[in-house]
Amino acid sequence: MSHKKKEHYFLSEGGEMGELIRSADWSKTSLGNPDKWPQSLKTMTAMMLSNPFGMYIAWGKNYIQLYNDAFRPILGTSKHPDALGGSSKNTFAEIWDIIGPMFSDVMKGHAVSFPDFKVPLHRNGYTEDCFFDFSYSPIKVEDGSIGGILVTVIETTEKKIVADALQESNAQFVNNIMQAPVPEAILRGTDFVVEMANFVLLNNIWKKEENEVQGKKILEIFPELKKQKYAALLKKVYESGNAYSESESLLFIDNKKNGNPFYVDFEFAPLRESDNSISGIRMTLIDVTEKVEARKKIEESEKRFRLLTESIPQLIWETDADGNALFTSGRWLEYTGIEPGIEGSWQKMIHPDDFEENIKIWQHALATGEMYRCDVRMRRKDGSYRWHTVIGEPVFCPDNNIVNWVGAFTDIHTEKAFTHELEQQVTARTRELIQINESLRKSEERYHLMVEEVQEYAILYLNGNGIIENWNAGAEKIKGYKAEEIIGKYFAVFYTEKDQKNNLPQRLLEIAREKGKVIHEGWRARKDGSQFWASVVITAVHNKKGEVIGFSKVTHDLTERKKANDKLKMNALELEQKNNELEEMNKELQSFAYISSHDLQEPLRKIQTFASQIIEKEAENLSENGKDKFKRMQNAAQRMQTLINDLLAYSRTNIQERIFIKTDLNQIINEVKEDLTEELEQKSAVIKIEQTSEVDIIPFQFKQLLYNLISNSLKFSNPDIPIIIKITSEIALGKNLTEEKLIPAKKYCHIEISDNGIGFEAQYNKKIFEVFQRLHGRDRYNGTGIGLAIVKKIIENHNGIITASGIQNQGASFNIYIPVK
């Protein structure tokens, strides 16, 4: 309203609703100007506005409404602020049939109240079931009549919803216990009274009816438990709050099983209330008697099997389906002196000349399921070898999969020796026959070379002047001439016109005459003028005096191989092109790896955040084991984040723009020392800079390089020896430096970084730069194994070379060679 409202003492309080009531034009309502309100209405209004509880006044026969700030949320967004000064009949039209009669009764002087009263209220654009604790009280005016109604109300909707949900949850919990396939019971109080026991437990283990156990103490139902450990364990779990479980525990109870003990897997877990107090025990009891008895039968069977293996002379063995050792007879260790199943035991036992073939046969058997059989020389404990036949057969399960292998070594040394003696006799006799026939072979050598039936080779005999005297079927097939067409002609007819002009045929004969043989490949001519690619071997034939009397000439048509080689060369060019394409793809993959690794950071942060929140806010609800698991999860997430950061650094090393700036190395070293101040002070380490140079480098990458190397020196240090890190550099020609891969006439900046730490063995000089290469376990030294790989990448980006050398327990040294320009 535009005119200023008069201030009234009874409207001076009330927050937002007080302001609305003060600013309203009450003259338009049946209440009229506040000056003329009855004293009782003024008093109740003042009390309502200053009250922190929800209060509401319905005045007069039209039930004109006033209410305070605490009541306003009950009206929602649909009824407020129109309800102020309006009629209750209009405001609560949807429930007037419920509260209207109550209002009428109160106006007659009867107060009413209800707890958790449910009404379907339309207050936020839709109808919702709401619950209230309320009271309706009559307000009397000065003449003793009833002027209106005072409503005091507290909304209990959320409390009611939670209570109903809790009741439903409890019912579901009971149902889950009763319907569970695992035998379970709930025991309450320090007397462990049976609150419930599910059907599986009652029927299968306790063998009792529900009315026999319900509400009774477990130790009265089964008094025999008092003499067993279970009574004490129930008390211990209840008092400590820590669950206890055990597998294959021996239990004796009177359960109509003839009083025989049986085996169970059991767990006693504390039941906690909302205030974390313990009210009982949840007992899980699973009968595993059949499983235990079956295992004992298997163990007895295995015992008999082992006794049998010890009574026979063979060496018995058993492996799993993948060939890993499971069992060997006692004679195995007695015979070989080698412990079975340890790494390298097989290689120590088999003769080196037999090992590779034996492994090949064994791998084939594992892959195919075929029987494994092989003859090998087996090493005895005294160092001698004896021949054995080893046989192994697969054992199949019902689904036809191999479950293990069983086999034996059988000594066949005596039989093998007899066979070897026979082979030696045959070999000696064969040698005699060869010597007898040697002279015959030499005299008929020409005829053996001229095998008429050979189709794939052209075999010729030339006299001392190169005239063709003999011709086989292969020559006719390859060259196209019949014997009568070519015999008597000079062999140069097979060469191309160019080779004839260059006297190639004559030169080949001269070489064969001088050296005994000549081999040549080239194009040759057929009768029809076509050409083929030939491999030619010309061998000089000598008489008994050593004089050359002729030549054998063998020609093989290699045209197809020539085409294949030419195709290979073409493929090599295509491969080079593909390699170029792969380089482009690798660049894209590096970009993809960067994005993928970067996206992994977010879920890691969430894991660390949620784990920290749970440990901080839920610590009292977690067991010590649970807290330990969360701490391990945090440590694993931290290691993963470190690994991702290292991978990102590794991927960026190749793709960052290479901008070289002439920089004093001393400046970079001082920046790294500043970054590592805390670590240097903590380990009392000293960095000695003996000499530095200026060189063209990528400053950011080179700082990372020095940071990684110095960090490594600090990490892999001997705690008993003060750490000393030396850094020197010099400019020199490649020929004056010790690295053989350097260009002699080129200038390099040689930087050496050395320490007196734990060092490493020489065999790791090159492997140390490989990605994920770790020389020490994570339990001793933290890290991801990427730091030195990043260093190598940075050196490569500088077109340089880095080498490493170390001495175990004496220190490590890294030599860097960077081109000056």
Side-chain angles (χ1 to χ4, degrees):
M1 298 181 62
S2 59
H3 59 281
K4 181 174 177 63
K5 294 290 182 181
K6 180 180 178 181
E7 296 294 335
H8 301 91
Y9 76 92
F10 57 89
L11 300 179
S12 61
E13 303 290 339
E16 180 183 342
M17 289 309 303
E19 179 65 28
L20 288 175
I21 293 172
R22 289 192 293 273
S23 63
D25 188 357
W26 293 100
S27 63
K28 295 180 179 180
T29 70
S30 60
L31 290 181
N33 194 298
D35 290 335
K36 298 178 180 180
W37 288 3
Q39 184 59 43
S40 58
L41 176 59
K42 293 178 181 179
T43 301
M44 294 308 295
T45 301
M47 181 188 72
M48 175 191 71
L49 290 175
S50 62
N51 202 299
F53 292 99
M55 300 186 76
Y56 162 92
I57 295 174
W59 191 263
K61 62 180 179 180
N62 292 326
Y63 302 122
I64 302 303
Q65 303 166 121
L66 299 99
Y67 47 91
N68 63 5
D69 283 351
F71 185 85
R72 180 171 52 81
I74 295 174
L75 298 173
T77 59
S78 301
K79 300 182 183 298
H80 174 77
D82 295 338
L84 184 65
S87 170
S88 298
K89 295 179 182 179
N90 297 331
T91 300
F92 297 107
E94 73 273 21
I95 58 172
W96 191 248
D97 60 326
I98 299 173
I99 66 173
M102 295 183 189
F103 273 34
S104 297
D105 200 35
V106 174
M107 291 297 287
K108 295 176 183 178
H110 305 118
V112 296
S113 65
F114 291 97
D116 286 334
F117 191 76
K118 176 182 176 181
V119 290
L121 204 59
H122 189 88
R123 57 179 177 178
N124 291 306
Y126 57 91
T127 301
E128 55 183 304
D129 288 338
C130 302
F131 296 85
F132 302 96
D133 290 344
F134 71 88
S135 67
Y136 293 170
S137 303
I139 303 174
K140 293 184 179 181
V141 295
E142 286 71 13
D143 61 2
S145 62
I146 307 301
I149 300 170
L150 173 64
V151 179
T152 303
V153 61
I154 298 175
E155 183 166 0
T156 62
T157 303
E158 290 188 8
K159 183 184 75 173
K160 180 67 174 172
I161 292 173
V162 171
D164 290 346
L166 181 60
Q167 184 177 2
E168 182 179 354
S169 175
N170 289 335
Q172 183 63 43
F173 172 73
V174 172
N175 184 61
N176 289 342
I177 293 291
M178 297 303 295
Q179 299 297 329
V182 176
E184 291 185 324
I186 300 298
L187 311 178
R188 292 292 185 183
T190 57
D191 292 332
F192 309 115
V193 175
V194 178
E195 181 179 281
M196 71 176 75
N198 68 5
F199 304 122
V200 181
L201 180 63
L202 289 170
N203 298 333
N204 296 348
I205 297 182
W206 284 359
K207 302 294 183 180
K208 294 185 181 295
E209 299 297 329
E210 187 174 5
N211 58 7
E212 294 182 79
V213 301
Q214 190 80 32
K216 296 181 181 180
K217 299 177 182 179
I218 188 70
L219 297 180
E220 291 179 354
I221 302 169
F222 300 108
E224 56 269 27
L225 291 178
K226 296 177 182 178
K227 297 181 180 180
Q228 302 175 57
K229 62 184 176 182
Y230 303 98
L233 287 174
L234 284 169
K235 182 179 180 182
K236 180 180 178 180
V237 170
Y238 190 93
E239 292 176 350
S240 69
N242 298 322
Y244 181 84
S245 63
E246 192 173 310
S247 298
E248 299 182 3
S249 179
L250 190 62
L251 173 66
F252 176 80
I253 58 172
D254 184 8
N255 63 348
K256 301 176 184 178
K257 279 187 141 184
N258 300 323
N260 293 326
F262 56 101
Y263 294 91
V264 293
D265 289 349
F266 75 89
E267 180 184 44
F268 297 156
L271 285 175
R272 296 185 182 273
E273 300 301 315
S274 58
D275 61 356
N276 206 36
S277 63
I278 298 173
S279 63
I281 300 291
R282 180 171 180 168
M283 180 175 70
T284 304
L285 206 66
I286 302 173
D287 189 346
V288 294
T289 305
E290 292 183 1
K291 182 182 76 172
V292 174
E293 291 175 349
R295 192 189 71 245
K296 287 184 176 180
K297 289 179 181 179
I298 292 173
E299 290 173 350
E300 182 64 27
S301 176
E302 290 181 348
K303 182 179 179 181
R304 290 196 300 270
F305 170 73
R306 281 166 172 73
L307 289 173
L308 177 63
T309 61
E310 300 306 322
S311 65
I312 59 178
Q314 282 82 4
L315 306 182
I316 308 300
W317 54 267
E318 181 186 13
T319 73
D320 63 16
D322 297 323
N324 301 309
L326 296 177
F327 165 77
T328 56
S329 61
R331 283 179 49 80
W332 183 287
L333 181 60
E334 177 186 339
Y335 186 90
T336 65
I338 298 172
E339 191 71 34
I342 63 174
E343 186 176 353
S345 61
W346 197 261
Q347 192 166 7
K348 293 177 182 177
M349 188 183 68
I350 303 299
H351 194 286
D353 294 343
D354 303 336
F355 182 74
E356 293 297 332
E357 182 65 20
N358 174 63
I359 289 296
K360 187 184 299 182
I361 296 172
W362 175 231
Q363 293 297 337
H364 175 77
L366 289 175
T368 62
E370 297 176 3
M371 185 178 76
Y372 161 56
R373 183 185 179 104
C374 185
D375 288 351
V376 296
R377 281 165 287 183
M378 192 172 179
R379 187 181 184 277
R380 295 180 56 165
K381 186 161 57 176
D382 61 7
S384 64
Y385 286 91
R386 289 184 65 84
W387 281 100
H388 284 72
T389 288
V390 54
I391 297 176
E393 292 194 5
V395 179
F396 295 91
C397 61
D399 60 4
N400 208 34
N401 287 325
I402 295 175
V403 292
N404 59 359
W405 290 77
V406 177
F409 281 87
T410 302
D411 191 316
I412 60 167
H413 194 78
T414 303
E415 295 87 341
K416 201 77 173 179
F418 179 70
T419 302
H420 181 65
E421 184 179 350
L422 287 178
E423 289 175 350
Q424 285 184 324
Q425 292 177 3
V426 172
T427 301
R429 181 57 179 164
T430 302
R431 190 179 300 112
E432 291 176 7
L433 291 174
I434 290 173
Q435 291 173 351
I436 292 171
N437 289 296
E438 180 66 19
S439 58
L440 179 61
R441 186 191 64 79
K442 288 184 178 180
S443 65
E444 295 181 350
E445 183 179 14
R446 179 171 57 185
Y447 298 99
H448 282 282
L449 292 172
M450 299 296 292
V451 180
E452 287 295 330
E453 297 302 321
V454 175
Q455 296 288 319
E456 301 302 320
Y457 291 85
I459 303 175
L460 293 74
Y461 180 76
L462 312 177
N463 66 17
N465 297 318
I467 303 300
I468 302 167
E469 292 189 352
N470 213 331
W471 188 257
N472 78 334
E476 181 177 335
K477 176 182 176 182
I478 293 173
K479 300 180 182 293
Y481 297 93
K482 293 186 178 299
E484 59 269 21
E485 295 176 316
I486 200 67
I487 291 176
K489 293 186 178 180
Y490 187 53
F491 83 108
V493 68
F494 308 127
Y495 289 77
T496 63
E497 191 173 325
K498 179 182 177 182
D499 287 343
Q500 290 183 38
K501 288 181 179 178
N502 292 332
N503 293 320
L504 179 61
Q506 293 89 331
R507 285 191 285 110
L508 291 177
L509 284 186
E510 289 302 318
I511 295 172
R513 190 186 303 276
E514 293 174 6
K515 297 186 177 182
K517 183 170 70 173
V518 65
I519 300 173
H520 182 262
E521 285 191 13
W523 292 107
R524 297 292 186 269
R526 295 189 178 94
K527 176 183 176 182
D528 60 6
S530 63
Q531 295 185 352
F532 66 97
W533 187 263
S535 173
V536 180
V537 179
I538 300 176
T539 305
V541 179
H542 301 80
N543 59 17
K544 292 182 180 181
K545 297 178 180 180
E547 299 169 336
V548 176
I549 58 173
F551 303 92
S552 68
K553 180 174 180 292
V554 180
T555 302
H556 190 195
D557 185 352
L558 296 179
T559 306
E560 293 303 321
R561 192 186 75 176
K562 172 67 174 173
K563 292 179 180 178
N565 287 339
D566 291 342
K567 186 175 181 180
L568 283 174
K569 292 178 182 179
M570 183 63 69
N571 289 342
L573 292 174
E574 293 178 0
L575 181 61
E576 183 178 0
Q577 182 180 355
K578 293 294 184 183
N579 285 337
N580 292 334
E581 294 174 1
L582 282 174
E583 288 180 3
E584 293 299 319
M585 290 173 65
N586 280 334
K587 292 178 181 178
E588 295 178 3
L589 284 173
Q590 287 176 349
S591 176
F592 176 77
Y594 168 76
I595 295 171
S596 298
S597 298
H598 186 272
D599 290 344
L600 288 174
Q601 298 277 12
E602 182 57 26
L604 271 179
R605 282 193 292 271
K606 288 184 177 179
I607 290 172
Q608 292 172 311
T609 300
F610 292 156
S612 298
Q613 290 177 352
I614 291 173
I615 290 176
E616 292 173 3
K617 299 181 180 180
E618 302 294 333
E620 63 181 5
N621 295 328
L622 293 174
S623 66
E624 289 302 316
N625 187 39
K627 293 176 183 177
D628 180 63
K629 291 293 189 296
F630 272 105
K631 289 177 181 178
R632 292 187 181 207
M633 182 173 72
Q634 285 180 305
N635 292 338
Q638 183 60 48
R639 289 197 303 272
M640 185 63 182
Q641 190 168 45
T642 302
L643 177 59
I644 291 172
N645 289 335
D646 285 351
L647 285 172
L648 285 172
Y650 186 76
S651 65
R652 290 193 191 106
T653 305
N654 268 351
I655 60 177
Q656 289 174 341
E657 186 176 358
R658 300 200 303 168
I659 301 176
F660 293 83
I661 299 173
K662 184 175 287 296
T663 307
D664 187 347
L665 290 178
N666 196 45
Q667 175 186 343
I668 303 292
I669 295 169
N670 287 331
E671 290 177 5
V672 173
K673 286 174 63 178
E674 182 67 24
D675 292 344
L676 292 171
T677 298
E678 184 176 340
E679 289 86 346
L680 290 167
E681 291 176 354
Q682 183 181 1
K683 293 202 173 187
S684 301
V686 175
I687 298 179
K688 292 186 176 181
I689 307 171
E690 298 184 357
Q691 183 179 348
T692 61
S693 309
E694 283 192 351
V695 66
D696 292 326
I697 57 173
I698 307 168
F700 170 78
Q701 288 191 6
F702 220 80
K703 179 180 178 182
Q704 185 177 11
L705 176 148
L706 289 174
Y707 184 98
N708 286 2
L709 291 177
I710 294 174
S711 295
N712 265 18
S713 294
L714 294 173
K715 183 190 303 182
F716 302 108
S717 59
N718 188 331
D720 300 325
I721 300 175
I723 303 171
I724 299 176
I725 302 170
K726 295 181 180 180
I727 303 176
T728 63
S729 68
E730 62 174 334
I731 304 295
L733 290 172
K735 65 181 180 181
N736 296 326
L737 298 171
T738 57
E739 176 55 46
E740 61 183 11
K741 295 181 181 179
L742 301 179
I743 300 173
K746 192 173 184 65
K747 280 189 176 182
Y748 293 85
C749 178
H750 171 215
I751 305 164
E752 183 178 8
I753 302 170
S754 60
D755 61 50
N756 61 343
I758 63 173
F760 53 86
E761 296 177 359
Q763 58 181 314
Y764 296 110
N765 285 353
K766 293 183 179 179
K767 292 184 66 177
I768 199 171
F769 295 106
E770 295 176 3
V771 176
F772 301 123
Q773 179 65 45
R774 295 176 56 88
L775 306 187
H776 308 279
R778 186 181 289 111
D779 57 337
R780 292 184 60 196
Y781 301 100
N782 293 327
T784 60
I786 299 178
L788 290 180
I790 293 175
V791 167
K792 189 170 186 295
K793 284 275 188 180
I794 292 172
I795 294 301
E796 290 172 353
N797 281 354
H798 286 74
N799 303 315
I801 296 171
I802 183 170
T803 62
S805 61
I807 300 175
Q808 192 75 31
N809 298 320
Q810 293 188 31
S813 178
F814 293 87
N815 285 276
I816 300 169
Y817 305 89
I818 302 295
V820 171
K821 291 186 179 180

